[in-house]
Amino acid sequence: MLKWLVRLFIVMMLGAVLGVASLIGIYFYIKPQLPDVTALRDVKLATPMRVYSRDGELIAQYGEIRRIPLRLDEIPQSMIDAVLATEDARFYEHPGIDPIGIIRAASVWAVSGHARQGASTITQQVARNFFLSNEKTIVRKIKEVFLAWRIEQNLSKDEILELYLNKIPLGYRSFGIGAAAQVYFGKEVKDLGLDEIAIIAGLPKAPSMLNPIRSPERAFARRNVVLGRMLETGKITQAQFDEASKMPIKARYHGAEVTLNAPYLGEMVRQKMVEQFGEDAYTMGLHVYTTVSAERQRAARQALLDGVFAYDMRHGYRGPTAQLWKAGETSWDYEQILTHLSNQPTYDPLIAAVVTKLGDRSATLVLKNGKEAELGWDGIKWARSFITDDRQSYAPKSARDVLKVGAQIWVREQGESLLLAQIPDVNAALVAMNPKNGALEALVGGFSFELSKFNRVDQARRQIGSNIKPFLYATALEHGYTLASLINDAPINQWDPSKGPMWQPKNSPAVYDGPTPLRLGLAKSKNVMSVRLMRAIGLDTYIDGLTRFGFPRDFISPHESLALGAAEFTPLEVVRGYSVLANGGFLVTPYFIDKVTDSLENTLYQANPAIACTTCEQQTVGQETPSAATPTTEGSAQNGVLTSTTPAIAPHTISAQSSFLITDTLSTAIWGGNGWRGTGWRAARDLKRHDISGKTGTTNESRDAWFSGYTPDIVATSWIGFDNHQRGLGRAEFGGGAAQPIWIDFMKVALKKLPENKMPVPEGIMTVKIDSETGLLSAGGGTDEYFKEGTEPTRYATPSSDGNQVYGGDNPDVEGPVSTDDIF
């Protein structure tokens, strides 16, 4: 018996030695294939790119993986208890490997021939998630065991647990408990209830099968298993178990908590980040802070929506989207209607609805959200039927003139009531910029990003009409003309048979005032004066002048129609040009990214734009024609990290004096003069500020309507038109009535907190009294006019025998009209 026991002992010892030897042999065989686990100390968890306003409101999130990394001390103890009770109750006691679990899994494999059980510890799951695949093979399992052991030698238990809680996949592209809390419950982890904690803690076993959105019944059962294990381990009381286990499942999908609607800007940022960082931009956890103000961005979007809807309503109702059932057919029931509406797109602020009842002056609707609502007569009576862009039918007398039962329509909220609406055919854009440094303050690229991702701010090239005239007049001032120089406001009837049909530009309205000072020509937007002025300074001189405002030469065609805005520019290029007038003559570069940080808020890039600095040492104006390429964010990438440029002063491309003179003239375009009102009179009426300057613009057949205006603190451009370049807005639509209201509504908010700040009179400007009919010095009375020193008239207007002034001499050293023979 003793000999048998000794032999058994020897056999067992040999088996143990052989087992250890085999284990050591397997380890050294696999060791070269094992990764370096010390990399876990510096692991960078893949997190999405998030885009913010400058004041921290979320604009967009890009990247398929959703993760909100948390430190262990930011995670509630109840969440830690739930995960440990469910996944690895002995986590803080074992060395990273659970021998009992391994033996159980091995025995199942030995019997069945398949690896059907895991028994992985949390450390093993960390090893698998960071270094291995999910394939169920014995080789992968052995690697996992050795990796878990090595991880335990290099990291503390808390470090391992923190990695696990941030890495584990939990369904709906959420990784880690921080993202899962947001995705399923729209909460931060610290705000979860015990029942919600248990749901998330139960997901690692099978995120798809136990998903509370897709499989609420299975999630309910799994949650109660988790709660039961927490009760068994003494982490919760019986009362807590009883309460939490009875709670209904209330999970639903929550997207990223976007708090500021700026999708066109978000897309511009996304493109820029991918350009700089490649596809890694989606997983680096970049935080991109833009230059836009949340308040101004909201104001810009609302102003654009209101302007588009106002235009759309002026031109009539084009009818319901669809007729779901007709008179005499069986009406759809509530579930059918709701199913249909759930499949309709969302174009905020429009709401899809179906008419279920009609009264004489009202309609009963089912909305997409399932609610029943009343559409009153005040929301219907505007809907004259659309015939053409210039014609509508008579006003309706009853709701039945407009709608039918079974019609699918669109409505939008207006205060406490609903207003009949439609998806607009027309579109618009608005962009605002700080003229001192080029920072974009607000940007709306169209009515709906969901409907069209085409960004009309920086992609739509449209003719700008009279919006171009300030740049023509500024160029003339740079070449010796003054605001008192006279240009003949008379019809042009010049025909060269060799050049084809006669071009006869006309004023709008067709009123001609004869010899007129430049100030009034620009303020009243006289077309024929612009053509004559361009001919006087020369087409090439004018084109060179346009490039000094940042307009790209490649899009400037050398034709006389350029004087009236036949060139096609983007709203971003236009707002840049007007910023030169607003800031004293500096060509700043628009930019929209202020700062980029990593997920730990370490700064990767800080914008450092060239600025307009009227008090700095001045550069020589016009030494070089600056680059007019379409601008983007300043800076370059070095080793994958953005670096900002050296601080600089923006190119000084026109004189401060010319900038001031045009700005003052465009103030006249807002406020008008004695007995007449400027083309921008609505801004004077609604804003009641004397520091605003601006200009309307309308192209042939009203295909495009513009308004650009500014103060020394902010410049903005609004545009409205159809994406179809051949379609006009209608005979009664102009820049002042279609585009300017958008600008005004935005500026009401943008200027609300800014005191009036008229552009100061720069050095080198003087005031003299002139005779408005001749542009010469006034012998008595007259009006005050600004001049650059040295360009002021030196002779007085001479009275004729009938008491009227006649043209006398002007300064012979100043280029420009000097006598009646020179007025063209």
Side-chain angles (χ1 to χ4, degrees):
M1 183 68 178
L2 183 59
K3 289 182 180 181
W4 184 83
L5 290 173
V6 170
R7 289 174 181 171
L8 180 61
F9 175 76
I10 293 171
V11 169
M12 292 175 63
M13 290 299 294
L14 287 172
V17 171
L18 287 172
V20 171
S22 299
L23 196 61
I24 293 173
I26 293 171
Y27 173 73
F28 280 102
Y29 174 76
I30 290 179
K31 182 179 179 181
Q33 305 172 36
L34 299 179
D36 182 7
V37 299
T38 59
L40 290 175
R41 289 192 176 278
D42 302 314
V43 69
K44 294 182 179 179
L45 296 170
T47 53
M49 173 172 61
R50 295 168 73 88
V51 181
Y52 298 93
S53 67
R54 74 180 182 213
D55 33 16
E57 294 210 29
L58 183 63
I59 290 172
Q61 178 172 287
Y62 298 101
E64 291 189 358
I65 291 177
R66 294 187 60 178
R67 179 179 280 115
I68 303 174
L70 299 169
R71 298 190 311 272
L72 197 62
D73 59 12
E74 295 176 314
I75 300 171
Q77 187 61 45
S78 54
M79 174 63 81
I80 295 172
D81 292 340
V83 171
L84 293 180
T86 309
E87 293 296 314
D88 193 351
R90 295 179 57 253
F91 172 72
Y92 279 98
E93 286 79 41
H94 65 60
I97 304 163
D98 182 0
I100 297 175
I102 292 174
I103 292 171
R104 182 175 64 248
S107 63
V108 170
W109 173 76
V111 172
S112 66
H114 300 285
R116 294 181 178 176
Q117 292 192 9
S120 296
T121 64
I122 282 177
T123 311
Q124 288 175 264
Q125 291 183 59
V126 168
R128 180 168 66 248
N129 285 325
F130 279 95
F131 299 116
L132 302 172
S133 68
N134 285 320
E135 61 177 344
K136 293 186 177 181
T137 64
I138 193 66
V139 173
R140 195 272 296 162
K141 193 68 179 179
I142 292 171
K143 289 181 179 179
E144 181 184 295
V145 168
F146 287 133
L147 275 175
W149 181 79
R150 292 176 67 174
I151 289 171
E152 291 271 350
Q153 310 308 306
N154 287 275
L155 275 69
S156 70
K157 288 287 188 179
D158 284 353
E159 288 174 323
I160 296 168
L161 184 58
E162 183 177 295
L163 283 172
Y164 174 79
L165 293 174
N166 283 306
K167 176 72 173 178
I168 191 74
L170 296 172
Y172 277 89
R173 296 177 180 172
S174 63
F175 290 76
I177 59 173
Q182 171 60 41
V183 166
Y184 295 117
F185 303 110
K187 298 180 180 180
E188 294 185 28
V189 175
K190 63 183 178 63
D191 298 322
L192 295 174
L194 179 59
D195 61 310
E196 295 166 333
I197 283 172
I199 289 173
I200 292 175
L203 285 172
K205 181 179 180 181
S208 297
M209 290 180 60
L210 303 174
N211 192 292
I213 298 174
R214 188 176 301 166
S215 305
E217 297 84 4
R218 289 175 178 170
F220 184 93
R222 177 63 176 170
R223 178 199 66 188
N224 288 355
V225 168
V226 174
L227 291 170
R229 291 181 181 173
M230 293 180 74
L231 180 62
E232 290 173 9
T233 55
K235 300 302 181 182
I236 60 174
T237 65
Q238 185 66 50
Q240 288 175 306
F241 174 85
D242 292 341
E243 180 183 2
S245 63
K246 294 175 183 177
M247 295 291 290
I249 300 291
K250 294 182 179 179
R252 64 179 180 84
Y253 181 76
H254 295 77
E257 291 183 289
V258 172
T259 58
L260 182 63
N261 189 302
Y264 292 98
L265 177 64
E267 176 60 16
M268 291 168 70
V269 171
R270 185 196 67 80
Q271 292 178 12
K272 186 65 177 177
M273 291 298 97
V274 171
E275 175 187 326
Q276 297 290 350
F277 297 104
E279 294 298 310
D280 288 344
Y282 298 122
T283 58
M284 291 172 62
L286 296 176
H287 291 181
V288 185
Y289 294 89
T290 65
T291 58
V292 302
S293 149
E295 181 181 44
R296 288 178 174 176
Q297 177 64 27
R298 288 193 177 94
R301 180 170 182 266
Q302 191 60 53
L304 183 141
L305 291 177
D306 289 344
V308 167
F309 284 135
Y311 171 89
D312 207 50
M313 292 173 70
R314 287 196 297 271
H315 290 263
Y317 185 56
R318 296 183 296 278
T321 301
Q323 189 67 38
L324 304 184
W325 70 88
K326 299 177 181 178
E329 296 179 350
T330 303
S331 300
W332 286 18
D333 61 29
Y334 176 80
E335 293 301 327
Q336 285 178 292
I337 293 172
L338 211 56
T339 299
H340 172 81
L341 290 175
S342 67
N343 293 322
Q344 300 310 302
T346 297
Y347 304 126
D348 186 54
L350 299 182
I351 306 167
V354 173
V355 179
T356 56
K357 294 179 185 177
L358 265 180
D360 189 47
R361 294 288 181 105
S362 66
T364 302
L365 314 176
V366 172
L367 305 181
K368 185 176 180 178
N369 61 12
K371 294 181 180 179
E372 189 174 80
E374 191 81 4
L375 178 61
W377 181 241
D378 285 342
I380 300 173
K381 64 183 181 182
W382 69 269
R384 297 177 300 159
S385 294
F386 172 89
I387 299 174
T388 70
D389 290 316
D390 290 309
R391 293 181 56 209
Q392 301 83 41
S393 69
Y394 295 107
K397 298 179 179 179
S398 164
R400 293 184 177 89
D401 295 338
V402 179
L403 302 172
K404 295 180 181 179
V405 172
Q408 185 217 308
I409 62 172
W410 297 93
V411 295
R412 59 188 175 98
E413 294 179 343
Q414 188 175 59
E416 300 296 322
S417 304
L418 292 178
L419 184 67
L420 179 64
Q422 57 193 349
I423 299 173
D425 282 348
V426 75
N427 231 302
L430 176 68
V431 57
M433 192 175 85
N434 182 337
K436 298 172 184 176
N437 61 8
L440 297 189
E441 295 282 340
L443 184 151
V444 188
F447 166 72
S448 169
F449 188 75
E450 291 76 18
L451 192 64
S452 169
K453 293 176 174 54
F454 181 66
N455 187 346
R456 293 152 192 85
V457 166
D458 72 339
Q459 293 177 313
R461 293 199 167 276
R462 306 294 298 232
Q463 290 189 350
I464 70 169
S466 294
N467 239 214
I468 206 170
K469 290 177 182 176
F471 311 116
L472 167 63
Y473 280 69
T475 302
L477 294 182
E478 291 285 274
H479 287 79
Y481 283 78
T482 75
L483 294 181
S485 296
L486 297 180
I487 301 292
N488 194 14
D489 179 29
I492 294 175
N493 295 294
Q494 181 177 342
W495 182 43
D496 182 348
S498 65
K499 295 183 179 179
M502 179 168 55
W503 183 51
Q504 290 183 293
K506 295 180 174 61
N507 286 344
S508 178
V511 176
Y512 301 89
D513 298 328
T516 303
L518 260 65
R519 175 183 287 276
L520 294 187
L522 178 55
K524 292 184 176 182
S525 198
K526 296 283 191 176
N527 286 339
V528 296
M529 288 184 64
S530 295
V531 175
R532 292 179 187 276
L533 181 61
M534 185 197 67
R535 289 175 175 176
I537 65 173
L539 181 57
D540 290 341
T541 298
Y542 177 34
I543 291 174
D544 287 341
L546 286 174
T547 64
R548 297 191 178 281
F549 291 92
F551 294 110
R553 190 181 292 270
D554 290 346
F555 294 95
I556 302 174
S557 298
H559 300 295
E560 287 198 330
S561 58
L562 185 63
L564 305 182
E568 295 183 344
F569 300 128
T570 68
L572 184 61
E573 290 165 346
V574 173
V575 83
R576 186 191 193 194
Y578 273 86
S579 73
V580 178
L581 300 174
N583 66 25
F586 296 88
L587 183 61
V588 295
T589 298
Y591 72 103
F592 50 87
I593 296 177
D594 178 59
K595 183 173 69 172
V596 181
T597 71
D598 61 20
S599 59
L600 299 176
E601 295 297 335
N602 297 311
T603 300
L604 302 179
Y605 167 76
Q606 177 66 59
N608 193 11
I611 62 171
C613 183
T614 55
T615 60
C616 300
E617 183 177 344
Q618 299 299 303
Q619 301 174 1
T620 302
V621 175
Q623 262 190 334
E624 295 181 5
T625 299
S627 170
T630 300
T632 55
T633 311
E634 291 290 323
S636 59
Q638 295 181 359
N639 299 323
V641 177
L642 288 169
T643 57
S644 59
T645 56
T646 303
I649 302 173
H652 201 194
T653 58
I654 68 165
S655 68
Q657 294 78 25
S658 292
S659 171
F660 169 79
L661 293 173
I662 294 298
T663 294
D664 191 68
T665 303
L666 292 181
S667 179
T668 306
I670 299 288
W671 287 97
N674 294 327
W676 61 276
R677 60 185 186 182
T679 57
W681 61 270
R682 292 174 180 82
R685 177 195 66 189
D686 295 342
L687 295 176
K688 298 179 176 61
R689 294 174 64 114
H690 287 80
D691 60 344
I692 52 176
S693 302
K695 184 70 186 73
T696 56
T698 310
T699 62
N700 286 344
E701 299 178 11
S702 296
R703 291 192 179 104
D704 303 272
W706 297 79
F707 189 83
S708 297
Y710 58 91
T711 73
D713 299 307
I714 187 169
V715 55
T717 289
S718 60
W719 165 87
I720 186 169
F722 291 98
D723 288 335
N724 176 2
H725 287 227
Q726 302 307 309
R727 184 175 176 183
L729 292 166
R731 288 192 298 268
E733 299 289 351
F734 301 95
Q740 190 185 19
I742 298 173
W743 184 90
I744 290 172
D745 286 349
F746 168 71
M747 280 297 198
K748 285 178 181 177
V749 177
L751 297 176
K752 183 171 56 178
K753 299 176 183 178
L754 295 176
E756 284 202 25
N757 179 26
K758 288 197 72 171
M759 181 179 286
V761 180
E763 292 183 5
I765 290 289
M766 64 181 301
T767 305
V768 298
K769 286 192 178 294
I770 63 165
D771 172 61
S772 59
E773 291 186 3
T774 65
L776 303 180
L777 295 175
S778 175
T783 58
D784 289 332
E785 184 56 275
Y786 290 112
F787 292 87
K788 296 180 185 179
E789 291 181 356
T791 68
E792 70 277 7
T794 58
R795 294 189 178 185
Y796 287 89
T798 306
S800 66
S801 58
D802 60 6
N804 294 321
Q805 305 280 7
V806 297
Y807 302 105
D810 206 343
N811 187 339
D813 297 324
V814 177
E815 181 182 349
V818 296
S819 71
T820 52
D821 294 334
D822 294 314
I823 300 171
F824 43 85

